[in-house]
Amino acid sequence: MSQKQTHAFQAEVKQILHLVTHSLYSNKEIFLRELVSNASDACDKLRFEALDNAALWEDQPNLEVRISFDEDAKTLTISDNGIGMSAEEAAAHLGTIAKSGTREFMAKLEGDQKKDAQLIGQFGVGFYSGFIVADRITVETRRAGLPADQGVRWSSEGTGEYDIETLSKPGRGTDVILHLREGEEEFLKTWRVKSTIAKYSDHISLPILMKKETWDAEAAKQVLTDEWEPVNKASALWSRSKSEISEEQYQEFYKQISHDSEAPLAYTHNRVEGRSEYTQLLYIPAKAPFDLWNRDKRGGVKLYVKRVFIMDDAEALMPVYLRFVKGVIDSADLPLNVSRELLQESRDVKAIREGSTKRVLGMLESLANSEEEAERAKYAAFWKDFGQVLKEGIGEDHQNQERLAKLFRFASTHADENVSLADYVSRMKEGQDVIYYITADSLAAAKHSPQLEIFRKKGIEVLLLVDRVDEWMLSHLYEFDGKPLQSVAKGAVDLGKLLDEDEKKKADETAENLKPLLDKLKDALKDRAKDVRVTTRLVDSPACIVVEEGDMSGHLARLLKQAGQ
Ligand code: ADP
Ligand code: MG
């Protein structure tokens, strides 16, 4: 393919391009963060592939990013000597969006620019952000290991199409050349670019170089020399000590790795020593991402080994129910060429996962149990967004069942939200030895259930479980603090010691008197009901349906039916 070929963008790309250029303008400098992070990713990829194939290093053993500009041509160029792209890869990666979740993403777009822009951030449509400031982007790239004449020039105005042609490129890696739009000349100034790098990309662990400037007295202005100098600190943030890191740096780092535009809810940064040595910097986001419900989605924790990037989404590092956690784990023990399969089996990884899980639960506990109202409010907000995911943990993580159960919050007949099991237990009535709950499709349905009548009358609190995962949760959570969980809609609710003598006597008498009626009803309903009983659970309603103790609840049966089972 020596001749220029024109291709149309995939439809989704067109839509995203439009959004990016129109809704991210207020924060336009982020394009630099995105392009530098791609350059850094490309270097990481080279380092990783070169573990198996040292020839990929060619004659350039130092990985770096160079940023330069041409004032006359009005171009800003971000270059890296990373992995580069073949022609097929350039077409696939820059002309389509192949990532899973794209459809979900597109479905979420609402045409509300502010919200959509936030979504874009989460989704990380990095490369296209260049079009915020450029009316043409040219990418010149050659994949490491391919001959010089198999370079590629990809070029587009960011509207409907892009061109691809062959190019001779001696150095491996990628140059992204931005032809700046009218009015974006600020990005042709060293200080402007430098300060943006400092803000967003200081932690990038390879050198980002720019040409040094010097004062030219004759021209009375700063001019560029031919000498390159690093403009970032190039120290992996997590490897510095806590006291050297400002709150702002922690937050910036989070935004960088998570593509979240909001500050995190909480973070934890520790160096763990002992049998397994590692550093962890873990964040809890403030808002749920759009694809939280996708259990196949990989985790948000990046694995490094001694500051060398190994892989993204290392799911073995976090249990699935903590898939919303973002951050970095840097191990001192694992081999550099560790594979996903090896990770699953490694004892070191198991120790890391257990340690990290405890840290995350610890962060949540300190919010939930804080003396400060504001911190507890943060936990309540967290629970709203992530509570249902956390509930998955009760079946997945037996080791931490008790800690998890303490973190759970529910609605009850006492309060519409935020009721912990400990709160419930502290309000239990004299003589009450079980925790009562009811499951339903909605809070309103739960509240209006006739099965609650006697409990209301007696002032006994009942948990109202209305999340889809609750039924599943209940199949793993049987008790809390030694008190069994008991459905008010199953079997014969034995209010036992909670009824007074009179009430008991009356109940027995009623049962005796109604026996003939019951027999008739049983007979009439014999194909449709297992049993007909007199109950103490109703006050105003004449009758209600219950399921047998140990049977599937009516609510679960409905859920399964909806799911086509
Ligand atoms: P992401 O970085 O989240 O994958 P981007 O839109 O930023 O999404 O980039 C899309 C893809 O284009 C990358 O995954 C990568 O395959 C490719 N790419 C972008 N920039 C570079 C680069 N400098 N070198 C090599 N590949 C790149
Ligand atoms: Mg990117």
Side-chain angles (χ1 to χ4, degrees):
M1 179 199 12
S2 55
Q3 275 195 329
K4 193 187 273 188
Q5 292 189 350
T6 302
H7 304 264
F9 280 119
Q10 187 193 23
E12 279 93 337
V13 177
K14 273 193 235 170
Q15 244 174 306
I16 285 174
L17 274 166
H18 180 83
L19 256 163
V20 167
T21 44
H22 288 81
S23 48
L24 289 181
Y25 191 78
S26 57
N27 199 10
K28 61 184 174 181
E29 65 192 21
I30 56 145
F31 80 89
L32 255 178
R33 170 183 81 186
E34 294 299 328
L35 297 181
V36 168
S37 112
N38 284 352
S40 157
D41 290 349
C43 291
D44 286 340
K45 282 181 201 156
L46 177 85
R47 192 158 25 200
F48 188 62
E49 281 193 25
L51 290 172
D52 286 335
N53 179 6
L56 295 182
W57 288 109
E58 301 178 5
D59 56 355
Q60 285 193 51
N62 296 322
L63 293 170
E64 58 196 22
V65 180
R66 287 172 193 257
I67 302 182
S68 56
F69 46 80
D70 180 333
E71 270 180 294
D72 300 327
K74 289 224 252 164
T75 57
L76 174 67
T77 301
I78 294 98
S79 304
D80 66 71
N81 56 0
I83 193 73
M85 284 176 272
S86 65
E88 293 72 37
E89 287 169 328
H93 297 149
L94 307 180
T96 62
I97 295 182
K99 278 172 281 193
S100 66
T102 310
R103 222 179 306 130
E104 283 162 81
F105 169 73
M106 299 309 293
K108 289 255 171 163
L109 296 179
E110 320 183 21
D112 172 341
Q113 300 227 330
K114 218 168 144 199
K115 279 201 200 130
D116 291 349
Q118 232 171 36
L119 263 181
I120 284 184
Q122 287 183 8
F123 188 66
V125 276
F127 173 76
Y128 302 112
S129 63
F131 286 107
I132 306 173
V133 296
D135 49 19
R136 166 170 289 279
I137 299 181
T138 307
V139 178
E140 299 185 349
T141 183
R142 175 174 66 77
R143 201 179 203 288
L146 290 181
D149 63 3
Q150 289 192 30
V152 183
R153 178 183 287 124
W154 177 103
S155 174
S156 173
E157 291 178 1
T159 45
E161 306 169 331
Y162 61 91
D163 299 327
I164 282 197
E165 64 190 309
T166 310
L167 163 85
S168 176
K169 188 174 182 301
R172 68 154 192 262
T174 305
D175 302 337
V176 177
I177 304 156
L178 305 173
H179 304 264
L180 296 173
R181 291 177 195 275
E182 197 74 42
E184 304 299 344
E185 291 78 9
E186 64 193 277
F187 294 105
L188 300 175
K189 299 264 180 285
T190 302
W191 66 267
R192 177 68 165 111
V193 176
K194 252 185 167 172
S195 61
T196 310
I197 300 287
K199 181 165 171 198
Y200 294 114
S201 309
D202 219 17
H203 73 278
I204 294 275
S205 56
L206 46 127
I208 301 171
L209 307 172
M210 286 183 75
K211 277 188 175 160
K212 215 171 174 165
E213 276 189 328
T214 162
W215 181 254
D216 183 331
E218 213 167 297
K221 62 171 190 174
Q222 295 278 21
V223 293
L224 292 175
T225 65
D226 280 337
E227 196 186 329
W228 294 88
E229 64 174 355
V231 297
N232 63 329
K233 290 208 187 69
S235 84
L237 185 86
W238 62 91
S239 65
R240 295 192 226 159
S241 82
K242 282 191 205 178
S243 57
E244 286 172 31
I245 308 173
S246 71
E247 181 66 27
E248 205 191 347
Q249 284 171 316
Y250 274 123
Q251 298 205 357
E252 233 2 279
F253 182 69
Y254 166 74
K255 289 180 186 170
Q256 170 104 35
I257 58 168
S258 66
H259 297 290
D260 193 349
S261 53
E262 273 186 58
L265 195 67
Y267 59 80
T268 179
H269 181 197
N270 314 283
R271 188 157 298 149
V272 181
E273 274 156 22
R275 205 181 65 70
S276 184
E277 251 183 71
Y278 61 96
T279 300
Q280 60 192 179
L281 173 52
L282 303 172
Y283 295 89
I284 296 175
K287 288 240 165 71
F290 67 92
D291 54 356
L292 182 66
W293 288 102
N294 182 358
R295 274 181 61 93
D296 297 331
K297 181 180 124 70
R298 293 186 172 159
V301 176
K302 292 173 193 282
L303 175 66
Y304 285 72
V305 171
K306 300 193 190 82
R307 290 173 60 177
V308 175
F309 173 79
I310 304 298
M311 68 180 83
D312 256 328
D313 327 312
E315 58 265 58
L317 298 175
M318 272 288 157
V320 181
Y321 76 95
L322 294 181
R323 60 187 174 276
F324 53 84
V325 174
K326 306 276 184 206
V328 168
I329 287 176
D330 191 337
S331 159
D333 310 312
L334 292 170
L336 278 175
N337 59 355
V338 65
S339 65
R340 287 192 191 276
E341 292 69 40
L342 257 163
L343 278 185
Q344 301 291 350
E345 287 155 22
S346 157
R347 283 180 56 209
D348 288 315
V349 171
K350 197 162 170 265
I352 293 176
R353 183 176 52 228
E354 281 172 11
S356 303
T357 301
K358 294 214 156 78
R359 284 286 174 184
V360 174
L361 296 182
M363 268 194 279
L364 294 174
E365 284 160 356
S366 60
L367 286 175
N369 306 328
S370 172
E371 303 271 283
E372 285 170 49
E373 172 80 43
E375 296 286 288
R376 290 200 307 277
K378 274 191 192 171
Y379 185 74
F382 164 83
W383 180 258
K384 267 213 173 84
D385 264 29
F386 297 99
Q388 299 197 47
V389 180
L390 210 62
K391 283 180 193 164
E392 294 174 11
I394 205 83
E396 204 179 316
D397 187 355
H398 292 274
Q399 220 180 355
N400 291 304
Q401 260 199 354
E402 215 179 301
R403 288 179 80 173
L404 280 165
K406 283 187 185 150
L407 284 167
F408 291 179
R409 297 290 181 270
F410 303 100
S412 81
T413 46
H414 189 93
D416 273 356
E417 55 184 13
N418 243 338
V419 176
S420 72
L421 290 169
D423 292 339
Y424 182 100
V425 168
S426 73
R427 290 193 284 259
M428 278 168 59
K429 293 277 175 221
E430 179 88 20
Q432 180 185 352
D433 43 21
V434 301
I435 297 172
Y436 291 107
Y437 68 84
I438 182 167
T439 57
D441 292 328
S442 68
L443 200 54
K447 280 184 178 169
H448 291 113
S449 169
Q451 281 143 353
L452 294 182
E453 287 169 5
I454 184 69
F455 295 90
R456 281 237 170 73
K457 185 171 166 226
K458 305 235 105 212
I460 300 169
E461 186 171 5
V462 177
L463 297 175
L464 310 173
L465 306 183
V466 296
D467 277 348
R468 268 176 167 261
V469 290
D470 285 341
E471 288 284 359
W472 181 86
M473 174 193 73
L474 288 163
S475 63
H476 296 275
L477 181 70
Y478 311 114
E479 56 136 54
F480 178 79
D481 197 11
K483 321 243 172 351
L485 270 74
Q486 155 91 52
S487 168
V488 302
K490 279 190 184 177
V493 168
D494 177 15
L495 288 176
K497 290 172 255 171
L498 291 165
L499 291 181
D500 55 39
E501 279 310 309
D502 268 2
E503 282 169 324
K504 263 191 212 147
K505 215 169 121 207
K506 211 169 130 209
D508 288 345
E509 272 170 20
T510 318
E512 199 48 43
N513 292 343
L514 287 179
K515 208 164 172 297
L517 175 64
L518 284 188
D519 289 340
K520 271 196 195 143
L521 281 172
K522 272 188 216 170
D523 198 46
L525 294 171
K526 68 174 180 289
D527 299 324
R528 287 187 284 164
K530 257 192 199 164
D531 196 10
V532 181
R533 299 188 195 116
V534 175
T535 180
T536 51
R537 57 158 58 93
L538 297 176
V539 177
D540 301 318
S541 304
C544 68
I545 297 173
V546 299
V547 297
E548 203 60 49
E549 193 72 46
D551 274 5
M552 222 190 271
S553 77
H555 178 56
L556 180 59
R558 271 196 303 283
L559 283 180
L560 290 177
K561 209 167 155 201
Q562 275 170 22
Q565 308 240 342

